[in-house]
Amino acid sequence: MKYSYQISGMTCNGCRASVEKKLSALNGVNTVDVHLEKNEATLDTNFEIPISQLKDALSTKYGIEKKEHLDVFNIDINSHDIAVQEKTKLQQLQPLLIILGYISIASVLLNYKDWNGNAAMLDFMGLFYIVFSFFKIIDIKGFPDSFRMYDPLAKSIPVYAWIYPFVETALGLMFLMRFKIGIALVVTLVILGVTTLGVAKTLLSKQKIQCACLGTALKLPMTEATLIENVIMITMAVILLIQFL
């Protein structure tokens, strides 16, 4: 009999191999198929294994929840199940939308008395970098593997993924303190331009991976929202750079 489970906490092929090895060692398990991009595992077993036993087999880094029962003919998920999954994805994006909302409101409040559009954009970009880097640094060990899954530069230069959160922190401070704004804008165009290309490629290939924009502490799926937030930042950087030239 086949059973499908949702696995959380996997960020690289090493994680996938570890989960597969530990589940395969359980009594009654014939085969294990772990899918990193979909964050799921399918077990072919002689009998249904209690979820508590599966959790005990994995390290505390990973979470496992039963998705569905699959018969021997591997029946596809019906349209109702797909609708439920889509709703879940939208719910997962709530933290991102709330954070962007707070940053937008704060940027407006900081400048509403003597309104200055350029200053509001600088504050938005500064707060964006500070807040997003904070969430990345919370799990600095898990972030690089997740970031390398879609950022072209991080794939080519592994150390870049480790320093990226701190680059964001530095850029955030530069925008908020109005320090070397021209340099900060150029760096923003470069690093977000590269990341946006990686995000667009991932979306076009229809890969289902975790977005690292808020680190790995918050489990966010890679969606068009990630692309939109990057485009907003790039657009602001272009507008401001034109003003400073």
Side-chain angles (χ1 to χ4, degrees):
M1 301 179 71
K2 291 188 176 182
Y3 298 88
S4 183
Y5 299 89
Q6 192 72 35
I7 308 291
S8 61
M10 295 190 300
T11 58
C12 62
N13 282 320
C15 296
R16 180 195 58 77
S18 176
V19 170
E20 192 170 273
K21 179 179 179 181
K22 292 180 183 299
L23 294 180
S24 297
L26 290 174
N27 181 40
V29 175
N30 299 318
T31 61
V32 177
D33 182 19
V34 179
H35 200 297
L36 178 62
E37 287 76 15
K38 294 183 179 179
N39 290 314
E40 65 181 29
T42 301
L43 277 63
D44 186 347
T45 65
N46 297 328
F47 49 84
E48 184 173 3
I49 300 174
I51 192 70
S52 58
Q53 188 175 344
L54 297 176
K55 290 181 178 180
D56 290 341
L58 300 176
S59 69
T60 55
K61 175 182 177 181
Y62 308 108
I64 181 169
E65 298 294 338
K66 185 178 178 181
K67 283 186 61 178
E68 59 184 317
H69 175 261
L70 301 177
D71 62 20
V72 293
F73 298 104
N74 292 321
I75 299 176
D76 291 333
I77 301 172
N78 61 33
S79 59
H80 173 72
D81 295 322
I82 294 174
V84 172
Q85 290 180 358
E86 289 298 324
K87 182 179 179 181
T88 301
K89 183 164 64 174
L90 289 175
Q91 291 174 339
Q92 289 177 323
L93 287 174
Q94 284 183 354
L96 174 62
L97 299 176
I98 291 172
I99 289 171
L100 289 176
Y102 270 89
I103 291 174
S104 299
I105 292 171
S107 302
V108 172
L109 292 178
L110 288 171
N111 298 277
Y112 83 98
K113 287 187 177 180
D114 299 308
W115 179 252
N116 185 315
N118 289 344
M121 284 192 286
L122 288 172
D123 287 333
F124 179 92
M125 296 178 74
L127 292 172
F128 179 98
Y129 276 132
I130 293 296
V131 173
F132 278 57
S133 65
F134 165 77
F135 281 100
K136 293 179 176 70
I137 293 172
I138 285 179
D139 184 19
I140 190 63
K141 292 183 178 180
F143 169 74
D145 286 335
S146 183
F147 191 50
R148 291 190 196 104
M149 291 184 70
Y150 61 88
D151 186 274
L153 189 55
K155 289 180 182 178
S156 303
I157 310 174
V159 70
Y160 173 67
W162 286 95
I163 66 173
Y164 184 82
F166 303 100
V167 171
E168 282 196 331
T169 301
L171 289 172
L173 293 175
M174 291 172 73
F175 283 125
L176 292 176
M177 298 174 65
R178 308 298 194 258
F179 176 74
K180 302 290 184 181
I181 295 176
I183 294 175
L185 291 171
V186 171
V187 174
T188 292
L189 290 175
V190 173
I191 65 173
L192 289 188
V194 171
T195 300
T196 301
L197 290 175
V199 171
K201 183 179 179 180
T202 300
L203 293 174
L204 289 173
S205 65
K206 300 188 182 301
Q207 294 184 54
K208 294 183 179 180
I209 64 174
Q210 179 178 326
C211 176
C213 57
L214 287 174
T216 56
L218 295 177
K219 308 299 181 182
L220 298 176
M222 177 68 73
T223 67
E224 291 77 7
T226 308
L227 184 66
I228 292 172
E229 72 184 42
N230 283 357
V231 170
I232 289 174
M233 287 286 285
I234 291 173
T235 301
M236 287 185 177
V238 171
I239 294 173
L240 289 169
L241 194 58
I242 293 174
Q243 299 290 329
F244 281 92
L245 289 178

